[in-house]
Amino acid sequence: MNIGTPAAAPPDLPGEFQTPALRRRALQAITLLGILVAIVLFAPGLGEVRDRLAGADPGWLLLATLLEGLSYASYVLMFGPIFCAGLTRRRSWQIAGSELAMGSLVPASGAGGLALGAWILHRGGMDGERIARRSVAFFLIKSGANFIAVAVLGTLMALGVGPHLSLWLTALPAAAAALSIAAAVAIPRLGPGLEAAPGASRFRRATAATRLAVTSGAREAVQIFRSGDVRVLIGTFGYWFFDNAVLWAA
């Protein structure tokens, strides 16, 4: 794979990533932010909110910004070993940072960022099947920290550790998270399935490709996690921890 060398005639970006579309997205985001600020400043009944903002401690705001930066660094740290083995650290940071930035501009639960990252990797020479597998593996590993945290913390709180809450708010989420983890680990047992026949419909081909990507990606996620790569483990935990720490600081 030769991502570091730019192509002589690079293909156009997908429409949603073109400059006019991004400008439109940015303008929408700025407009919505302006409306939100105007509501907070002038709407009746929000005096308490204005008082809290007026008394905000710049130190806490700075800490929240720092924690968000550490969350970004954690994302990049786990992105490199999964997607960009063999690349320079600078190039890995560029691709991962582009994904996060795109995820902020395109409201699609992070799918926009993954799509942009897939386009960059494909342009750099990575084949589509590997991109699909690694995207599934990355998503499962990144989300795994959330499910593990819910399973562990929910179980501890159900046993009486920490504040007392109903079992509906502790044991039930913990059980659901544990079942989700077990299901993700069991996905590879489904197997890749049969390849679509040459004359199969587009839906049939897409279904077969999706099953192959999900099962093989889940298998690779387990292998990557079991490999004990420190960067992946620290990055996964850090991304979850610092994102929650931002909420705490705010």
Side-chain angles (χ1 to χ4, degrees):
M1 185 173 62
N2 186 21
I3 296 180
T5 303
D12 291 335
L13 279 166
E16 60 269 29
F17 304 138
Q18 296 274 354
T19 300
L22 293 180
R23 286 176 179 169
R24 195 162 54 248
R25 295 283 188 184
L27 182 60
Q28 291 173 353
I30 293 172
T31 301
L32 290 175
L33 181 60
I35 293 174
L36 178 61
V37 171
I39 291 174
V40 172
L41 290 178
F42 303 111
L46 294 180
E48 183 180 355
V49 175
R50 288 191 285 269
D51 292 341
R52 287 181 177 272
L53 289 176
D57 188 337
W60 283 105
L61 297 179
L62 180 62
L63 177 60
T65 303
L66 174 62
L67 292 171
E68 186 62 37
L70 291 173
S71 172
Y72 161 77
S74 299
Y75 184 96
V76 175
L77 185 63
M78 66 175 165
F79 181 89
I82 297 175
F83 277 110
C84 303
L87 287 181
T88 63
R89 183 177 301 176
R90 179 172 179 267
R91 189 59 169 159
S92 177
W93 277 67
Q94 287 176 336
I95 298 175
S98 298
E99 282 199 2
L100 283 175
M102 182 58 64
S104 299
L105 286 175
V106 180
S109 300
L114 285 176
L116 178 62
W119 180 86
I120 296 172
L121 293 168
H122 184 67
R123 176 187 166 189
M126 183 181 289
D127 65 273
E129 287 189 6
R130 177 177 171 82
I131 293 173
R133 291 197 316 269
R134 289 291 165 138
S135 294
V136 171
F138 182 75
F139 174 79
L140 292 176
I141 291 173
K142 177 170 68 74
S143 304
N146 294 311
F147 286 95
I148 292 174
V150 172
V152 172
L153 296 178
T155 299
L156 291 176
M157 294 179 70
L159 295 175
V161 178
H164 177 72
L165 294 173
S166 167
L167 293 179
W168 290 103
L169 300 176
T170 55
L172 181 61
L179 289 174
S180 298
I181 295 171
V185 174
I187 284 177
R189 296 181 179 273
L190 297 176
L194 299 176
E195 292 187 11
S201 65
R202 181 179 298 180
F203 175 78
R204 180 75 176 176
R205 295 197 303 271
T207 302
T210 300
R211 175 169 178 167
L212 175 62
V214 171
T215 55
S216 58
R219 184 182 303 109
E220 288 198 15
V222 174
Q223 292 173 350
I224 293 170
F225 192 78
R226 287 178 174 174
S227 70
D229 191 308
V230 176
R231 295 169 297 173
V232 174
L233 298 178
I234 294 177
T236 303
F237 174 78
Y239 186 65
W240 166 82
F241 177 82
F242 290 120
D243 260 2
N244 285 276
V246 170
L247 298 177
W248 166 77

Short mmCIF file of all heavy atoms in Angstrom, two decimals, residues 1-7 10-11 83-84 87 91 95 116-128 131:
data_model
loop_
_atom_site.label_atom_id
_atom_site.label_comp_id
_atom_site.label_asym_id
_atom_site.label_seq_id
_atom_site.Cartn_x
_atom_site.Cartn_y
_atom_site.Cartn_z
N MET A 1 0.85 -1.19 0.00
CA MET A 1 0.00 0.00 0.00
C MET A 1 0.88 1.23 0.00
O MET A 1 1.84 1.33 0.75
CB MET A 1 -0.90 -0.02 1.24
CG MET A 1 -1.91 1.12 1.25
SD MET A 1 -3.06 0.92 2.63
CE MET A 1 -1.94 1.03 4.00
N ASN A 2 0.55 2.19 -0.81
CA ASN A 2 1.40 3.36 -0.97
C ASN A 2 0.57 4.63 -0.78
O ASN A 2 0.31 5.37 -1.71
CB ASN A 2 2.05 3.34 -2.35
CG ASN A 2 3.06 4.47 -2.52
OD1 ASN A 2 3.54 5.00 -1.53
ND2 ASN A 2 3.36 4.83 -3.75
N ILE A 3 0.14 4.84 0.45
CA ILE A 3 -0.71 6.00 0.72
C ILE A 3 0.11 7.27 0.73
O ILE A 3 -0.39 8.35 0.42
CB ILE A 3 -1.44 5.80 2.06
CG1 ILE A 3 -2.37 4.61 1.94
CG2 ILE A 3 -2.22 7.04 2.46
CD1 ILE A 3 -3.14 4.32 3.19
N GLY A 4 1.38 7.17 1.05
CA GLY A 4 2.18 8.36 1.17
C GLY A 4 2.44 9.06 -0.16
O GLY A 4 2.78 10.22 -0.21
N THR A 5 2.31 8.34 -1.30
CA THR A 5 2.58 8.93 -2.60
C THR A 5 1.28 9.35 -3.25
O THR A 5 0.42 8.51 -3.51
CB THR A 5 3.30 7.91 -3.51
OG1 THR A 5 4.48 7.48 -2.86
CG2 THR A 5 3.63 8.54 -4.85
N PRO A 6 1.08 10.64 -3.53
CA PRO A 6 -0.17 11.08 -4.13
C PRO A 6 -0.30 10.60 -5.56
O PRO A 6 0.68 10.48 -6.29
CB PRO A 6 -0.08 12.62 -4.06
CG PRO A 6 1.38 12.90 -4.00
CD PRO A 6 2.00 11.76 -3.28
N ALA A 7 -1.52 10.31 -5.98
CA ALA A 7 -1.76 9.87 -7.34
C ALA A 7 -1.61 11.04 -8.30
O ALA A 7 -1.81 12.20 -7.95
CB ALA A 7 -3.17 9.28 -7.45
N PRO A 10 -5.82 12.32 -9.07
CA PRO A 10 -6.71 11.79 -8.05
C PRO A 10 -8.16 11.94 -8.45
O PRO A 10 -8.54 12.95 -9.03
CB PRO A 10 -6.39 12.66 -6.81
CG PRO A 10 -5.83 13.92 -7.38
CD PRO A 10 -5.11 13.53 -8.62
N PRO A 11 -8.99 10.94 -8.13
CA PRO A 11 -10.42 11.04 -8.44
C PRO A 11 -11.08 12.08 -7.56
O PRO A 11 -10.56 12.46 -6.53
CB PRO A 11 -10.94 9.63 -8.12
CG PRO A 11 -9.97 9.09 -7.11
CD PRO A 11 -8.64 9.68 -7.45
N PHE A 83 -5.63 0.54 10.96
CA PHE A 83 -5.78 0.90 9.56
C PHE A 83 -4.46 1.17 8.85
O PHE A 83 -4.33 0.88 7.67
CB PHE A 83 -6.64 2.17 9.44
CG PHE A 83 -8.11 1.91 9.48
CD1 PHE A 83 -8.86 2.29 10.56
CD2 PHE A 83 -8.76 1.28 8.43
CE1 PHE A 83 -10.22 2.07 10.62
CE2 PHE A 83 -10.12 1.05 8.46
CZ PHE A 83 -10.86 1.44 9.56
N CYS A 84 -3.51 1.76 9.54
CA CYS A 84 -2.37 2.37 8.86
C CYS A 84 -1.04 1.77 9.26
O CYS A 84 -0.06 2.50 9.44
CB CYS A 84 -2.36 3.88 9.10
SG CYS A 84 -3.87 4.71 8.57
N LEU A 87 2.53 3.05 7.88
CA LEU A 87 2.52 4.45 7.50
C LEU A 87 3.31 5.28 8.50
O LEU A 87 3.53 4.87 9.64
CB LEU A 87 1.09 4.99 7.42
CG LEU A 87 0.22 4.54 6.25
CD1 LEU A 87 -1.13 5.20 6.35
CD2 LEU A 87 0.87 4.89 4.92
N ARG A 91 1.15 10.77 8.72
CA ARG A 91 0.09 10.41 7.78
C ARG A 91 -1.08 9.76 8.52
O ARG A 91 -2.25 10.01 8.21
CB ARG A 91 0.64 9.44 6.73
CG ARG A 91 -0.30 9.14 5.58
CD ARG A 91 -0.68 10.40 4.84
NE ARG A 91 -1.35 10.09 3.60
CZ ARG A 91 -2.14 10.93 2.96
NH1 ARG A 91 -2.35 12.13 3.47
NH2 ARG A 91 -2.70 10.60 1.82
N ILE A 95 -5.07 11.18 8.53
CA ILE A 95 -6.26 10.44 8.12
C ILE A 95 -7.25 10.35 9.27
O ILE A 95 -8.46 10.60 9.11
CB ILE A 95 -5.87 9.02 7.63
CG1 ILE A 95 -4.96 9.12 6.40
CG2 ILE A 95 -7.12 8.21 7.29
CD1 ILE A 95 -4.43 7.79 5.92
N LEU A 116 -15.03 8.96 4.57
CA LEU A 116 -13.90 9.74 4.07
C LEU A 116 -12.59 8.97 4.27
O LEU A 116 -11.75 8.91 3.37
CB LEU A 116 -13.83 11.08 4.79
CG LEU A 116 -12.64 11.97 4.38
CD1 LEU A 116 -12.70 12.32 2.90
CD2 LEU A 116 -12.60 13.24 5.22
N GLY A 117 -12.43 8.36 5.45
CA GLY A 117 -11.23 7.57 5.69
C GLY A 117 -11.10 6.41 4.72
O GLY A 117 -10.01 6.11 4.21
N ALA A 118 -12.22 5.75 4.41
CA ALA A 118 -12.21 4.65 3.45
C ALA A 118 -11.80 5.14 2.06
O ALA A 118 -11.04 4.48 1.35
CB ALA A 118 -13.59 3.99 3.39
N TRP A 119 -12.30 6.33 1.68
CA TRP A 119 -11.94 6.89 0.37
C TRP A 119 -10.45 7.17 0.30
O TRP A 119 -9.79 6.86 -0.70
CB TRP A 119 -12.75 8.17 0.13
CG TRP A 119 -12.45 8.81 -1.19
CD1 TRP A 119 -13.04 8.54 -2.40
CD2 TRP A 119 -11.48 9.84 -1.44
NE1 TRP A 119 -12.50 9.34 -3.38
CE2 TRP A 119 -11.53 10.14 -2.83
CE3 TRP A 119 -10.57 10.53 -0.64
CZ2 TRP A 119 -10.73 11.10 -3.41
CZ3 TRP A 119 -9.75 11.49 -1.22
CH2 TRP A 119 -9.84 11.77 -2.59
N ILE A 120 -9.89 7.76 1.36
CA ILE A 120 -8.45 8.07 1.37
C ILE A 120 -7.63 6.79 1.30
O ILE A 120 -6.66 6.69 0.53
CB ILE A 120 -8.09 8.87 2.64
CG1 ILE A 120 -8.80 10.22 2.64
CG2 ILE A 120 -6.57 9.07 2.74
CD1 ILE A 120 -8.65 10.99 3.93
N LEU A 121 -8.01 5.78 2.10
CA LEU A 121 -7.27 4.53 2.12
C LEU A 121 -7.36 3.81 0.78
O LEU A 121 -6.39 3.23 0.29
CB LEU A 121 -7.80 3.63 3.24
CG LEU A 121 -7.54 4.14 4.67
CD1 LEU A 121 -8.35 3.33 5.67
CD2 LEU A 121 -6.05 4.07 5.00
N HIS A 122 -8.55 3.84 0.16
CA HIS A 122 -8.72 3.18 -1.14
C HIS A 122 -7.89 3.90 -2.20
O HIS A 122 -7.26 3.26 -3.05
CB HIS A 122 -10.19 3.20 -1.53
CG HIS A 122 -10.46 2.46 -2.81
ND1 HIS A 122 -10.30 1.10 -2.94
CD2 HIS A 122 -10.88 2.90 -4.04
CE1 HIS A 122 -10.60 0.73 -4.17
NE2 HIS A 122 -10.95 1.81 -4.86
N ARG A 123 -7.87 5.22 -2.14
CA ARG A 123 -7.04 5.99 -3.08
C ARG A 123 -5.57 5.65 -2.88
O ARG A 123 -4.78 5.64 -3.83
CB ARG A 123 -7.27 7.47 -2.87
CG ARG A 123 -6.40 8.36 -3.74
CD ARG A 123 -6.55 9.81 -3.36
NE ARG A 123 -5.50 10.62 -3.95
CZ ARG A 123 -5.28 11.89 -3.66
NH1 ARG A 123 -6.04 12.50 -2.77
NH2 ARG A 123 -4.31 12.55 -4.24
N GLY A 124 -5.17 5.34 -1.63
CA GLY A 124 -3.78 5.02 -1.35
C GLY A 124 -3.40 3.60 -1.72
O GLY A 124 -2.22 3.24 -1.59
N GLY A 125 -4.37 2.79 -2.15
CA GLY A 125 -4.03 1.45 -2.62
C GLY A 125 -4.57 0.30 -1.79
O GLY A 125 -4.37 -0.86 -2.14
N MET A 126 -5.26 0.59 -0.70
CA MET A 126 -5.82 -0.50 0.11
C MET A 126 -7.07 -1.03 -0.58
O MET A 126 -7.92 -0.25 -1.02
CB MET A 126 -6.16 0.00 1.52
CG MET A 126 -6.67 -1.10 2.44
SD MET A 126 -7.12 -0.51 4.12
CE MET A 126 -5.49 -0.16 4.79
N ASP A 127 -7.18 -2.35 -0.68
CA ASP A 127 -8.32 -2.94 -1.38
C ASP A 127 -9.59 -2.80 -0.56
O ASP A 127 -9.56 -2.69 0.67
CB ASP A 127 -8.06 -4.40 -1.71
CG ASP A 127 -7.94 -5.27 -0.46
OD1 ASP A 127 -6.83 -5.36 0.09
OD2 ASP A 127 -8.97 -5.82 -0.03
N GLY A 128 -10.74 -2.83 -1.25
CA GLY A 128 -12.02 -2.58 -0.62
C GLY A 128 -12.37 -3.58 0.46
O GLY A 128 -12.96 -3.21 1.49
N ILE A 131 -10.52 -2.71 3.64
CA ILE A 131 -11.10 -1.52 4.24
C ILE A 131 -12.39 -1.86 4.98
O ILE A 131 -12.62 -1.41 6.11
CB ILE A 131 -11.37 -0.44 3.17
CG1 ILE A 131 -10.05 0.07 2.61
CG2 ILE A 131 -12.17 0.71 3.76
CD1 ILE A 131 -10.23 1.01 1.43
#
